[in-house]
């Protein structure tokens, strides 16, 4: 295993201890070893507020963002309301359902086990899972699961209101149900393989449910326990939890609204749900502060050794816009100024979010809105990245590119897209 330079020895020891004892500590500000890059432009908070106002104009009751630097310092902007019934302003410190941002947590847990030589990244996953989860002899590797090249059908496309039927009516059919992860995977397998594993990219929640089962099988502990012991408790992420199948968020939060398919109808309160249908692929709850803390720890090497972090960050283009790429449980965007940021997006009923960091951990932003089933809201949120990382508001051309990229990601998250040949 290759660790970082001697200047990063303190960080390396933290990471090694985390892997050996399933405990990590967030490094103090300034311990990252990366050579200083040219100073990035300061965040444009006026441009960020403008972007958040456009999120509300697009149909979200409220939107908010937290910008942080390597030392955890920064600023918060919030606009709109967190509760249409009371008119209470949005709480920028409130918690929300983070949807597929959860996938990066799951990826880190799996890669920690790879670093401990308890999981083989390029070995068939079937032999590292409980018998019968994947067919015997399946060539799907753990890497194929992490980078969405497994060919496994996305079971969530079979849920009512996803591909067929009214969104709100469909949601009410599964929001309070409790699903066994093995049953979700079995439903996906009934569709057969979508393509030869490793040959194409196709985003599938099934991949990360399988990975959650792998984490449980290898550690012998529930997924929520492993997440708490290895990430949440060591990093002091007190606003973050994985409480499936409990239906409440637990901490202070905005009401999460589901946009009706008929936009003339009022927004629907979708806050409470078991989220068991998305499990280790998207059921976590967190806050902007906790997520920014998480990205600082990850980029500083406090959660993974350099070898596994490099594997996670080795992204390849995954959409025709050329602005969106994917690695191992990590998405990356190339912004209008050429800066590439790393993280993940999340869409779950009631909430849509972006959470991103520079590769060197010098700046993070988490943007959240309390409305889903609205692609205009999701696209508007993405325009918040340019003022934060580029120091200028998104230009009209950048907004068009962002809207196209956001549309592709939203389709991946909600209705599925055709597999794409890898462009390595």
């Amino acid at each position: 295993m290759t660790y970082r330079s001697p200047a990063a020895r303190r960080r390396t020891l933290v990471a090694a201890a985390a892997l050996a004892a399933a405990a990590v500590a967030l490094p103090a500000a300034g311990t990252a070893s990366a050579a200083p890059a040219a100073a990035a432009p300061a965040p444009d908070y006026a441009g960020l507020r403008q972007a958040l106002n456009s999120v509300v104009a697009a149909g979200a009751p409220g939107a908010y963002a937290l910008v942080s630097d390597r030392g955890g310092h920064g600023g918060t902007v919030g606009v709109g309301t967190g509760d249409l019934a009371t008119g209470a302003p949005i709480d920028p410190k409130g918690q929300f359902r983070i949807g597929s941002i959860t996938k990066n947590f799951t990826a880190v847990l799996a890669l920690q086990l790879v670093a401990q030589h308890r999981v083989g990244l390029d070995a068939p996953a079937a032999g590292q899972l409980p018998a019968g989860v994947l067919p015997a002899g399946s060539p799907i590797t753990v890497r194929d699961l992490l980078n969405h090249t497994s060919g496994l059908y996305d079971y969530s496309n079979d849920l009512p209101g996803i591909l067929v039927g009214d969104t709100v009516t469909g949601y009410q059919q599964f929001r309070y149900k409790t699903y066994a992860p093995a049953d979700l995977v079995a439903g996906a397998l009934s569709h057969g393989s979508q393509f030869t594993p490793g040959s194409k990219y196709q985003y599938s929640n099934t991949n990360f449910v399988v990975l959650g089962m792998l984490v449980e099988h290898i550690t012998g502990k529930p997924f929520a326990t492993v997440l708490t012991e290895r990430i949440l408790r060591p990093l002091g992420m007190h606003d973050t939890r994985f409480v499936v199948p409990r239906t409440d968020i637990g901490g202070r939060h905005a009401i999460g609204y589901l946009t009706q398919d008929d936009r003339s109808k009022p927004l629907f309160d979708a806050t409470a749900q078991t989220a068991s249908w998305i499990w280790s692929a998207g059921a976590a709850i967190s806050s902007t502060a906790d997520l920014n803390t998480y990205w600082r720890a990850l980029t500083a090497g406090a959660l993974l050794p350099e070898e596994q972090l490099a594997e996670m960050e080795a992204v390849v283009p995954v959409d025709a816009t050329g602005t969106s790429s994917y690695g191992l449980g990590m998405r990356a965007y190339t912004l209008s100024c050429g800066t590439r940021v790393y993280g993940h997006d999340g869409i779950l009923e009631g909430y849509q979010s972006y959470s991103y960091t520079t590769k060197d951990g010098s700046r993070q932003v988490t943007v959240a809105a309390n409305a889903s089933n609205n692609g205009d809201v999701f696209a508007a949120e993405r325009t918040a990245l340019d003022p934060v990382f580029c120091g200028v508001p998104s230009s009209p051309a950048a907004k068009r590119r962002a809207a196209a990229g956001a549309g592709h990601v939203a389709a991946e998250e909600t209705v599925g897209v055709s597999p794409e040949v890898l462009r390595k």
Side-chain angles (χ1 to χ4, degrees):
M1 185 181 303
T2 302
Y3 289 97
R4 298 196 180 196
S5 63
R9 191 167 294 144
R10 180 178 182 277
R11 184 181 70 191
T12 296
L13 292 174
V14 171
L19 295 168
V24 294
L26 180 62
T31 60
S33 69
D44 177 1
Y45 282 98
L48 175 57
R49 181 173 293 277
Q50 176 184 337
L52 296 184
N53 281 328
S54 72
V55 173
V56 173
Y64 55 102
L66 173 65
V67 180
S68 304
D69 63 17
R70 187 179 284 112
H73 309 294
T76 298
V77 178
V79 300
T81 181
D83 187 332
L84 290 173
T86 66
I90 197 82
D91 181 357
K93 295 183 179 180
Q95 295 154 35
F96 57 97
R97 298 190 185 276
I98 67 173
S100 288
I101 299 171
T102 306
K103 288 181 171 68
N104 197 265
F105 294 170
T106 303
V108 164
L109 296 178
L111 288 171
Q112 285 182 350
L113 297 173
V114 169
Q116 292 177 320
H117 305 291
R118 299 171 69 183
V119 166
L121 180 60
D122 292 302
Q128 306 179 74
L129 287 159
V133 174
L134 294 179
S138 168
I140 295 170
T141 67
V142 173
R143 184 188 298 275
D144 293 332
L145 296 169
L146 284 163
N147 65 12
H148 294 295
T149 62
S150 70
L152 290 174
Y153 177 82
D154 190 342
Y155 68 84
S156 63
N157 288 337
D158 288 342
L159 293 174
I162 300 293
L163 284 184
V164 294
D166 175 74
T167 298
V168 170
T169 301
Y171 174 57
Q172 293 187 86
Q173 294 180 46
F174 65 80
R175 68 184 295 185
Y176 295 122
K177 287 186 176 180
T178 301
Y179 296 88
D183 290 340
L184 297 175
V185 176
L189 291 175
S190 70
H191 290 269
S193 178
Q194 305 300 290
F195 51 83
T196 301
S199 66
K200 297 180 181 180
Y201 167 90
Q202 185 173 40
Y203 192 91
S204 173
N205 289 308
T206 307
N207 294 320
F208 280 78
V209 171
V210 174
L211 287 165
M213 297 178 72
L214 180 143
V215 168
E216 289 196 332
H217 182 64
I218 297 300
T219 63
K221 298 178 180 180
F223 180 83
T225 300
V226 181
L227 176 63
T228 299
E229 290 179 349
R230 287 177 172 253
I231 297 178
L232 307 186
R233 187 180 300 144
L235 297 186
M237 294 173 63
H238 302 301
D239 288 339
T240 308
R241 58 188 67 86
F242 188 92
V243 294
V244 175
R246 230 174 62 193
T247 59
D248 60 298
I249 288 181
R252 59 185 185 181
H253 61 275
I255 302 298
Y257 295 97
L258 187 57
T259 306
Q260 303 260 17
D261 294 339
D262 179 351
R263 297 286 181 90
S264 68
K265 294 182 178 179
L267 296 174
F268 178 81
D269 183 346
T271 312
Q273 65 162 300
T274 66
S276 78
W277 69 272
I278 197 68
W279 200 54
S280 55
I285 295 160
S286 192
S287 66
T288 56
D290 269 12
L291 288 174
N292 285 8
T293 293
Y294 171 76
W295 296 121
R296 286 196 299 278
L298 180 62
T299 56
L303 293 173
L304 292 173
E306 182 177 9
E307 181 180 350
Q308 282 68 44
L309 182 58
E311 291 272 17
M312 173 175 275
E313 294 175 341
V315 297
V316 297
V318 294
D319 73 32
T321 70
T323 63
S324 180
S325 304
Y326 209 89
L328 302 187
M330 175 172 277
R331 199 182 294 280
Y333 288 132
T334 302
L335 304 180
S336 62
C337 56
T339 296
R340 176 179 277 177
V341 292
Y342 297 79
H344 218 289
D345 325 281
I347 299 176
L348 202 68
E349 289 82 7
Y351 304 93
Q352 297 187 137
S353 51
Y354 286 78
S355 193
Y356 281 84
T357 182
T358 53
K359 191 173 185 177
D360 65 0
S362 60
R363 188 172 300 168
Q364 303 79 40
V365 70
T366 298
V367 183
N370 58 336
S372 66
N373 195 37
N374 187 326
D376 295 336
V377 165
F378 195 58
E381 283 184 276
R382 183 159 161 179
T383 66
L385 300 182
D386 272 10
V388 170
F389 294 106
C390 299
V392 294
S394 293
S395 66
K399 288 181 180 180
R400 289 193 295 272
R401 288 194 297 272
H408 183 91
V409 172
E412 285 188 338
E413 292 270 3
T414 56
V415 299
V417 295
S418 299
E420 298 193 33
V421 176
L422 292 176
R423 298 187 292 276
K424 294 185 179 180

